[in-house]
Amino acid sequence: MKALITGGTGFIGHALTQHLTRQGHAVTVLSRNPDKVAAICGPGVSALGNLEQLKTEDAYQVIINLAGEPIFDARWTDARKKLLRDSRINLTEQLVDAIGRMAIKPDLLISGSAVGYYGDQGDTVLTEQSAPHPDFSHQLCADWEQAARKAGQFGVRVCLIRTGLVIAEDGGLLKRMLLPFRLGLGGRLGSGRQWMSWIHREDWIAIVQAMINNASMQGAYNATAPNPVTNREFTQTLAYCLNRPALLPVPDWLLKTMLGEMSELVLGSQRVMPERLLAQDFEFQYPDLVSAVKHALLKA
C-alpha cells in the first residue's frame, strides 16, 4: 500500500508513519520541512514540500490528513485563531482539490478532528450522534470535517477521527505535565470536575489501522478510550503512577487570566464515548487510564 500523510512529523503523525513503514507500506509525508522527514520518520519515508508537487499520475491508496498548527502552543489571539483555521481547513481544501486532479483516486481519506467538536458539555455523555455546543473549538473541528467530507464527491471513502487527549511518552499532554508532577507541584485544574476524554497513542494508531482494513468504516469516529475521567481523577492517577502528591490545584481564575479564551481547552468538559468503535467490536489495548499512563511512563 502507498500512503500519503500530512502532519506526518508531528507527535501523532511520526508514530503512525513509523508503524506503517514497519508494516511494509510505502509512506510519503507532506511537510514544510521535507529535509527533516527522514530523520524524524525513518530513512525509508519519502517527503513532499507542498501539494503542488503531487502529480496527476501519483497514486495513493490511503491519504491521512493530520496537518495543523498545535492548538495549545500560543494564546488564542485573532491572528492565532486564523492560523489554526488556515492550517487545518485551507490545507484540507487544497488536499481535496489535489485528490480531484488525481487520475487514480485514493480509496480512503482519514482526516483529523478532535473531541473539541462537541464543545463544553459538562457531565453529558457524548457519542458521535450528540449535538455540539457552539464555541471556537467546535466551529474549528466542524469546518475541518466539512472540508474533508467533500472528498466523497470523488468516490473516496472518508473517515473522520475525533481525537481525545493523546497519552504517550514523548509529547502531548503527558509531557507537559510530567515535570511539575515529578517535582510534587501538580494538582487539579479549576474545580477538577471537568471531563477529560483521552486515548493511548498505540490505540489511536490501531484505530487508523482498522479504518484502513475495514472498508465498511466511514464517517466520524470518536478516538477516545471507553473510560473518560474527570480532571481530578486524571491528576490523581498521574500522581499515583509517579508516587508523588498532587496537592497544588490551579484556580480557574488564574487559568483564564493566563490563557484567555484558550482556557476552555483545560476547563471545558467533554465526556466522550467511542460508541461507533465499540459497536464494531474494536478492542482497546489500554482501556483504563492507569494502564495507559504506566505504559507511557515506562518509556519516558
Side-chain angles (χ1 to χ4, degrees), residues 32-97:
R32 289 171 299 179
N33 300 298
D35 294 340
K36 297 182 179 180
V37 166
I40 296 172
C41 300
V45 178
S46 302
L48 287 177
N50 56 68
L51 286 171
E52 293 175 359
Q53 294 176 339
L54 280 176
K55 301 180 178 65
T56 56
E57 63 269 23
D58 287 340
Y60 296 96
Q61 285 73 50
V62 175
I63 297 178
I64 303 167
N65 178 35
L66 306 176
E69 286 291 322
I71 198 163
F72 201 74
D73 276 16
R75 193 180 178 97
W76 287 355
T77 62
D78 288 344
R80 181 66 182 177
K81 283 181 170 182
K82 184 177 186 305
L83 181 62
L84 291 173
R85 287 184 58 84
D86 289 350
S87 64
R88 288 164 171 77
I89 299 159
N90 287 6
L91 185 138
T92 301
E93 290 173 344
Q94 293 167 18
L95 182 61
V96 171
D97 287 344

Side-chain angles (χ1 to χ4, degrees), residues 225-246:
N227 295 295
V229 297
T230 63
N231 176 262
R232 183 188 297 272
E233 291 174 286
F234 191 99
T235 53
Q236 289 175 342
T237 298
L238 180 55
Y240 164 76
C241 291
L242 290 169
N243 194 26
R244 295 289 190 274

Side-chain angles (χ1 to χ4, degrees), residues 118 125-131 162 222 271-275:
Y118 300 103
V125 176
L126 303 169
T127 72
E128 291 88 352
Q129 305 305 316
S130 298
R162 294 175 180 166
N222 291 332
R271 189 179 182 180
V272 178
M273 290 296 293
E275 183 177 71

Side-chain angles (χ1 to χ4, degrees), residues 113-133:
S113 186
V115 296
Y117 172 88
Y118 300 103
D120 182 3
Q121 301 225 37
D123 292 330
T124 302
V125 176
L126 303 169
T127 72
E128 291 88 352
Q129 305 305 316
S130 298
H133 173 78

Side-chain angles (χ1 to χ4, degrees), residues 256-273:
K256 290 176 181 177
T257 300
M258 292 171 56
L259 303 176
E261 186 180 359
M262 191 171 67
S263 63
E264 71 181 42
L265 290 178
V266 293
L267 295 176
S269 180
Q270 289 100 26
R271 189 179 182 180
V272 178
M273 290 296 293

Side-chain angles (χ1 to χ4, degrees), residues 96-116:
V96 171
D97 287 344
I99 289 172
R101 294 191 299 271
M102 290 178 174
I104 301 175
K105 313 301 186 196
D107 299 320
L108 170 65
L109 170 65
I110 299 173
S111 196
S113 186
V115 296

